[in-house]
Structure formats: C-alpha cells, structure tokens
Amino acid sequence: MRDLFADIIVDISHENLDHTFSYRVPDELADRVAIGSRVLIPFGKSNREIAGFVLGLSDKAKFDPAKIKNIISVLGDESLVEQKLIMLAYWMKERYGSTMNRALSTVLPIKKNVKAKEKRDVVLLLSDDEAEEALVQFRKKGNVARERLMAELIKEKSIDYRLVTGKLNISAATLRALVKQKMIDIVSERVYRNTVKSSGTVQKVMLSSEQKKIYDDFSDDYSHGARGTYLIFGVTGSGKTEVYMEMIEKVVAAGKQVIVLIPEISLTYQTVMRFYRRFGDRVSTLHSRLSDGEKYDQFERAKKHEIDIMIGPRSALFTPFDNLGLIVIDEEHEHTYKSDQMPRYHARDVAIKLAELHGASVVLGSATPSVESYYAAKKGEYKLYTLKERAKSAALPSVHIVDLREELRDGNRTMFSKKLRDAIEERLVKKEQVMLFVNRRGLGGCVSCRSCGEPVKCPHCDVSLTRHFNGKLKCHYCGYEQLVVKKCGKCQSTLIGPMGSGIGTEAVEQQIKSMFPYAAVLRMDADTTKQKGDYESILSTFANREADILIGTQMIVKGHDFPYVTLVGIMAADMSLNANDYRAGERTFQLLVQAAGRAGRDLRPGEVLIQTYRPDNYAISAAISQDYEAFFDEEFGYRQLLMYPPAGHMLAIMTESKEENECMVMAASLAGAIRDGIIGKASVIGPTAASISKLKDVYRQMIYVKSMEIDTLKAIKDRAEEFSEKTDGGARISFDLDPMNGY
Ligand code: ADP
Ligand code: ZN
Ligand code: ZN
C-alpha cells in the first residue's frame, strides 16, 4: 500500500481556505476517504477529536511523514451540504482550471463580520377603499409619483424603503408629505435581513394546454423518480415563467428545495415580485448589490430551512440547500451565466453537475436556446419541450427588414430609414410607445488622424476611444476618459476628426430629439445607469408611460413587459456581426429575436423594424423570419466545419503580463510545451496577440486548443498548469474552456 495524505480543513466558513492541515489516511480507510469526505482527526497538542473536511489528497507528504498523524475515522454523513459543495468545487477546478482554493471560495459561503442592519418599510395606513380614492385623486392632479406609489402599495401593503426610493423612484420629500397626511407610515424594525417582503397572496393562472402538457410530463417524470435536464424552447412571452412556477410548486411540495437562476439584468422588482406573490416568504433573492454579510445571511436562512426557493444570478447555484430538487435556468442562452473569473465556469454545466450530486433535475428555458443546449436536446441528452404560442396576445410581432444600402442609394445619409421614421411618428400620434435598440454607447465611431490614419487610442488598452457628448472620448473597456485631442500623437498633424458611421445611443438620442422635439425620450446604457436604482427608475418611468421612446443597448432587451410598446426599431442589426469570435452569429440572432420579442406583448399588435446593411446574412435573415431551426442548421454546420463548440471543445489559454516581452516569451514556450506533450487528438493555434492585445495596461497572448474530447483538453490544461508552476513568476496563465466571448 502506498502512502496517502489528506489536506484537511477544520473551519470551512473561515476566510483562509488554504489553512489546511496534513493527515495520513490509514490503509483501512483508504477506499472511504475522498475529496469532500468529513473525517474525525486528533487536533492540536492535546489531540482533542474534531471533525474536518478533506480538500485534497496526495501521495507526497508536505513535511516529515513521521510527524503526520492519522485520520481516526470517516464520519460518512453523505447528506452534508458542505460535502457536496466541496465535491463540486473539485469538479470545477478539474474542469475549468483554477486552484482548489479559488474554486472553494467561489462555492463556499464565507462568513464575514457583519453588523445587523436597520430595515425600514413603507406601509399603507389606508383601507382599500380609501387607497383607491387617493389613487384617483393623485391621477386627477397628474401626480405621477404618488400615483405610482399608491398603486404599488394597494398591491403590496408594505414595501421595503429602499425599493420605494430606488426602484419606484419616490423622493424622501414625497414620502414625508404622505406621512404627514397619515396615508402611509415608515416603520423600522431590526430584522434578520431579508431582501424583499412578501405579500403572500397567491396568484395563479390556468395553464394553457401547451403549458400543461409540459408540466404534466415533467411532473410525471418527477413522481416516478426520473431526473434529468429539460429544455423549454418557448417564444418570448409564451408563459415559460408560469410553467417554472408550477414545477417549482410540485418540487417544493415534495419537501425539496429549488434554485432559480435568472440573468442579473432581469432581476427586477417585477420579476422577483411574481415569485413572491406566488410563494410568499419561502423565497429569497441574491443579487450583486447585496453586501457579503447579506449574502451570508441568505445562505444561513437556506441552511436552516427558512426558505425553499433561492432566486439569483449564477452565484445562487451555491446556496447551501441540503435537499435540492430542481434548478431552473431562465434565459439559459445569456452570456452572464459564464463566469469571467477563474474558475471560468458555465452555470449550466455546474447546475447539471450539482443536480447529479443531489439527485435533482434541471430545467432550462429560452426563446433563443444556445446552440449548445439545442444540440444536446437534439442528441437526446436533454428533453425538449416547445411553446409556440404567446400566452396573452394573439400573435407574435410582425418583423420587417429595411435595407440600409437602398436608403443610401436613395440619398438618405441619416441613421433613420424613411420607414422607421414614419413608423415612429405613427406611434407618437397614437400615443403608443417605441423602443430603439442600438448596439453601442456614446456617439459611436472614433476619432482618427486624416494624415496618417492613426486612431486615438486608450493609453491603457489596445482599443480606439469612442466619441461621447461634450467632446469626451471614452474607453469602453477600462472606463478611461479624456477630451478630444487637437493634434495627432503620432505625426502631429492637426487634421484629426471623427471617423466611422456614428451609430451609438447618444447619437440616436440626438437625432430623435431633433426629428421629434415634442417626444419624451429616455436613454438607457452604461452611462445613464451608473447610480444604484437608475436602471429601475428608467424602466418604471417608461412603464408608467411618462416617456414615448426608450433608446438603449442590450439592457433594454430583457426583464419587463411594456404593454404599450408596439414598435421596436433595431438601428443597425449587423453591428454585432463584426465581433471577431465564433459566437458573433449566435449572439446577433439572439439579440434580434429577443429585442423583437419586446413588441406587442399585450393586446396591441407589435411591429419590428430591423435596419441592416446585410439582409442576406443567415443570422439576420433567420431572425427576420423568426426561424430558429434555419439559424441552428446553418450555425451548427459552421461550427462542425471548424470544430467549434458544441461540435467540439475549445480551450483558450491566455498569458498576461505588464511586460510585453515576458508575455510573449511565456506564450511561445507554453505553446511549445503543449505541442510536444499532446496525448490524443488536438489542434493548437497560436500563440497570437489577443484581439485586444492590451487591456488595463496588461498585455495578452492567446493559445487556442481544439479537440473533440474534453479529456484531451483537460490533460493539456493540467500540463500547462504544471508548466506555469515550474516557470514561476513571470506571466500569469489562465484558462477558458468553451469560451463565450473573444479575447
Ligand atoms: P415568458 O417567461 O415565456 O416570457 P411569462 O411567463 O412571463 O412568459 O408570460 C408572459 C405573460 O403572459 C405574463 O404576463 C404571464 O402572467 C402571462 N401568462 C402566462 N401564462 C398564462 C396563462 N396560462 N394564462 C394567462 N396568462 C398567462
Ligand atoms: Zn497622424
Ligand atoms: Zn482602456
């Protein structure tokens, strides 16, 4: 028998996860000790017996083997949630590449010292009749803020103060005035921090026959103990969320717990409220604005079985539920499900692994499934459900194309085609609303030298600065800002000026305001949503019809139902096709279909106008005919040809350093080592400079490895890790398995 040593942690809520102790695994326990196992050990000088978790196993001792004590026994409590999370962390480390420590700190809730917080609620003091009467009065007087608050209070009775001032955008002065009139009160209580208060009124719809068929099938599987992964491919507004809620109810009724993932951007008051109304305070939410302490509290509540349902972005996967029954991933195609920090995990794959550890099921939903998921469904790995009809309105919006090349030929040099302009005017006359989707912030375009052609670049990144209002130039990658320069930095020429067709949110806003001076216009992009609550307040202003036109980046594509939006205009559909990664087509198709899905959500029929220079591109033409199958066939053919995921797997390896030379040398020697050591079939591309070769003052070189076998890539990753440990110091190495964006 060879020697086996275990790294054991005794307090896993501790911040220093690398604070482990070495123990020997005695021969008789060797086949029972695994990563994640809970074991009993003699600890400290007095050898008192305490429990710990095994984080790593090795046949090499860290110090004199004679001084290493033996593990006493395996506690074998398999149901422990910590054990599953440690196993999950290990799986993530192996698959995506990172240290065990980083994987653990991604997965385990870390206790931070936090003070209890004061929580305040705005509560309604009026009876229902009085409140309705007040509502009518506010409306008569045109007092929109008070009307908005009263409408919400009639539904909720009591609302978190922060939601009132933030998401509902009610000023403190307004609240004071209403308190004085004894209509509302502001009550403080020291509470165990919950994020939203429930109203507890059950609201259920009757499922349509299409919806019911899906629910029944899932329910049947669940009752018979069948577990698996399901993909609900349902057009926008087809009632996927209602189906999830039925499934969740079933699983919770069986005494199990549920995690619901939604993209951070759709984590809005409206969405969360739908779950609260249905499930009351058995629900909690996580989002990026919670402090570490608040997050920890939510995790503690989950552990103590005070809640059964956790809603949140990808990190909600690590809620320490001990009897997980279901994981729902809404809008599963969203790129926010992929972590951009090591370990660069994809929430879908982690969810499937976690479900396997718990014996749970996974339900994915989207109107534009990722090529990965649809391929898995086609292969029979996932069960496919489809919803073809919208739940409320009679029809999907009608989608039309505007060929911008023809506009140019007809002498129209503006960014608005005649058709789009007329359509906007028609909506303004009818008092309906318009959403305009633009892919870029600012004025669009950059500034460059007419003499030597050099663009004005960010001093920290290898990208051109984008023009913004007030003569500002901004870097969209690091936030750097400067005023427009008057002289070329390279050739000193003063012939310097704007370049490129400027289609950005600010430019569109300017044009709209000059074309329709009487229209109320809102703009939503990273520049107008810097403050807490900005995002929600723009959306609620628009939802309350205090504006006619909402101009925005992809931020406007998600989250809300606006019944009065009957026109969605897409300013330049091909812009996202120019991105240089293999997912550009998929992303373009998804954006267009999702943006189109914002039109005609209620009873009024919706229209979508897509302006483009490339109407024949398959991603754009498939979006126009709303034909997912056509898109998928074309896209998958291309991926197969080039062995891109999901036809094969791809590992992106990046070397980074502040020293350009160091970065290149490391990349070259690493690529050499990989080429020499390949076992199995793989092709290695590079090293080459990343397409953004410098970001925030750090140089980046890329190596791409493609293979049909994920295990081949794992072996290559391990080899690269080993290599980088040997050449320590120098450039940093990181990995991205099946990347979602280009580097
Ligand atoms: P999705 O998640 O597919 O976008 P939602 O579940 O949000 O769709 O449903 C869209 C709208 O239709 C929501 O307002 C929802 O309440 C409503 N809805 C969904 N299913 C039904 C149904 N069976 N009966 C009535 N209304 C429904
Ligand atoms: Zn120049
Ligand atoms: Zn920059």
Side-chain angles (χ1 to χ4, degrees), residues 449 451-454 488 490-493:
C449 172
S451 296
C452 74
E454 179 81 358
C488 172
K490 199 173 166 195
C491 75
Q492 313 302 319
S493 162

Side-chain angles (χ1 to χ4, degrees), residues 92-93 96-99 102-103 106 339-345:
M92 286 166 69
K93 160 196 137 61
Y96 300 105
S98 87
T99 61
R102 280 202 75 154
T106 304
S339 171
D340 52 10
Q341 280 167 19
M342 295 249 281
R344 294 199 175 98
Y345 67 92

Side-chain angles (χ1 to χ4, degrees), residues 43 126 194 201 454 483:
F43 194 72
L126 304 177
N194 189 357
T201 43
E454 179 81 358
L483 287 173

Side-chain angles (χ1 to χ4, degrees), residues 2-3 28 39 97 213 246 258 271 307 368 377 525-526 530 542 617 627 629 634 643 667 680 727:
R2 68 193 174 103
D3 272 345
E28 67 273 17
V39 293
K213 248 171 69 189
E246 290 289 323
V258 180
T271 318
I307 54 169
T368 51
D525 56 27
K530 281 189 184 141
F542 193 59
N617 177 281
D627 188 346
E629 291 289 339
E634 187 90 20
M643 239 167 74
T727 50

Side-chain angles (χ1 to χ4, degrees), residues 205-208 211 237-242 274 391-392 561:
V205 299
M206 277 277 288
L207 291 189
S208 68
Q211 288 169 317
S238 58
K240 294 183 288 295
T241 309
E242 296 297 335
R274 274 174 84 177
K392 283 205 283 201
D561 261 352

Side-chain angles (χ1 to χ4, degrees), residues 180-407:
K180 223 169 166 185
Q181 289 172 275
K182 298 216 179 339
M183 290 189 174
I184 62 166
D185 200 3
I186 298 168
V187 291
S188 322
E189 40 177 346
R190 285 192 87 87
V191 289
Y192 203 58
R193 283 156 285 167
N194 189 357
T195 45
V196 184
K197 201 171 169 104
S198 83
S199 63
T201 43
V202 181
Q203 289 201 347
K204 256 173 136 174
V205 299
M206 277 277 288
L207 291 189
S208 68
S209 63
E210 233 189 350
Q211 288 169 317
K212 191 161 184 315
K213 248 171 69 189
I214 295 176
Y215 170 73
D216 286 345
D217 187 78
F218 170 87
S219 165
D220 213 44
D221 275 1
Y222 209 87
S223 304
H224 291 94
R227 300 288 182 267
T229 304
Y230 304 79
L231 172 63
I232 306 183
F233 171 20
V235 298
T236 51
S238 58
K240 294 183 288 295
T241 309
E242 296 297 335
V243 177
Y244 307 147
M245 290 199 285
E246 290 289 323
M247 292 170 165
I248 292 167
E249 189 162 309
K250 157 118 194 165
V251 172
V252 169
K256 307 222 171 202
Q257 299 128 357
V258 180
I259 293 168
V260 181
L261 300 189
I262 55 185
E264 177 82 21
I265 209 93
S266 351
L267 249 177
T268 54
Y269 184 61
Q270 283 188 359
T271 318
V272 171
M273 269 305 160
R274 274 174 84 177
F275 282 88
Y276 276 91
R277 288 203 190 105
R278 173 87 175 242
F279 298 105
D281 51 15
R282 303 301 298 172
V283 183
S284 185
T285 54
L286 284 182
H287 51 81
S288 60
R289 287 185 189 134
L290 292 186
S291 68
D292 286 344
E294 285 170 319
K295 260 184 203 154
Y296 190 78
D297 282 353
Q298 296 314 314
F299 280 167
E300 282 294 290
R301 297 184 65 211
K303 247 174 106 168
K304 289 187 197 144
H305 298 154
E306 290 176 16
I307 54 169
D308 312 302
I309 303 165
M310 182 64 93
I311 307 175
R314 59 171 193 264
S315 61
L317 274 179
F318 310 122
T319 306
F321 282 136
D322 56 12
N323 194 10
L324 191 62
L326 174 65
I327 304 168
V328 175
I329 305 183
D330 190 28
E331 312 282 5
E332 65 86 29
H333 63 278
E334 276 289 322
H335 69 276
T336 54
Y337 287 128
K338 175 98 193 219
S339 171
D340 52 10
Q341 280 167 19
M342 295 249 281
R344 294 199 175 98
Y345 67 92
H346 196 296
R348 187 196 311 121
D349 301 327
V350 175
I352 290 170
K353 179 67 193 176
L354 182 65
E356 185 192 305
L357 292 173
H358 278 271
S361 284
V362 176
V363 171
L364 311 169
S366 175
T368 51
S370 60
V371 174
E372 269 80 1
S373 295
Y374 200 67
Y375 179 54
K378 281 201 146 183
K379 281 195 299 187
E381 282 171 24
Y382 303 169
K383 203 174 207 180
L384 182 66
Y385 295 138
T386 47
L387 284 171
K388 295 204 165 70
E389 307 280 329
R390 274 190 162 178
K392 283 205 283 201
S393 75
L396 281 164
S398 57
V399 182
H400 303 285
I401 192 148
V402 183
D403 189 339
L404 288 174
R405 293 170 308 184
E406 280 172 24
E407 291 287 318

Side-chain angles (χ1 to χ4, degrees), residues 563-685:
Y564 286 90
V565 171
T566 58
L567 174 67
V568 169
I570 290 155
M571 298 304 300
D574 15 313
M575 224 140 69
S576 60
L577 281 176
N578 301 330
N580 64 340
D581 64 294
Y582 70 96
R583 287 180 194 266
E586 179 176 5
R587 207 159 38 234
T588 301
F589 176 80
Q590 286 165 347
L591 265 172
L592 294 181
V593 173
Q594 297 282 349
R598 292 294 111 195
R601 299 277 291 192
D602 211 56
L603 299 170
R604 286 166 208 78
E607 185 185 5
V608 182
L609 286 179
I610 299 181
Q611 302 195 134
T612 177
Y613 290 98
R614 291 161 74 180
D616 319 320
N617 177 281
Y618 71 97
I620 293 177
S621 64
I624 289 159
S625 50
Q626 308 259 314
D627 188 346
Y628 182 87
E629 291 289 339
F631 160 74
F632 178 86
D633 289 345
E634 187 90 20
E635 182 70 28
F636 192 71
Y638 151 74
R639 304 260 179 114
Q640 236 170 352
L641 197 67
L642 295 171
M643 239 167 74
Y644 281 128
H649 289 285
M650 178 154 90
L651 178 69
I653 306 175
M654 190 195 290
T655 63
E656 291 170 282
S657 172
K658 291 207 165 185
E659 299 292 329
E660 190 171 14
N661 195 44
E662 207 169 63
C663 180
M664 288 172 68
V665 168
M666 177 64 146
S669 50
L670 181 60
I674 290 172
R675 284 199 171 91
D676 290 344
I678 291 178
I679 307 158
K681 263 199 165 147
S683 58
V684 183
I685 304 151

